[in-house]
Amino acid sequence: MSTKAMKILLLLLLLLVVSQAAAVSDTVTCRKTKGECSFLLCPLFKRATGTCYNGLAKCCRPLW
């Protein structure tokens, strides 16, 4: 492989690692603020206040 191809491959790998770290980050933030992740509607007496799993789910927190 040429050095240019190796650099492109390394850049793609780095982007993959960074995107996975971001996916964990919003989920961890939700759980630390006493929220729970839901792929469907939030349960009764909870409201959606953010996202989980890189925007695929809602972060649901209690109303009070």
Side-chain angles (χ1 to χ4, degrees), residues 11-30:
L11 180 63
L12 289 174
L13 182 62
L14 181 65
L15 287 173
L16 177 68
V17 169
V18 169
S19 69
Q20 290 300 318
V24 172
S25 177
D26 65 348
T27 304
V28 170
T29 303
C30 177

Side-chain angles (χ1 to χ4, degrees), residues 13-51:
L13 182 62
L14 181 65
L15 287 173
L16 177 68
V17 169
V18 169
S19 69
Q20 290 300 318
V24 172
S25 177
D26 65 348
T27 304
V28 170
T29 303
C30 177
R31 306 243 177 178
K32 281 186 177 179
T33 57
K34 298 182 181 178
E36 60 184 45
C37 300
S38 175
F39 286 101
L40 302 174
L41 296 173
C42 289
L44 194 60
F45 301 115
K46 295 194 179 201
R47 60 186 162 97
T49 58
T51 60

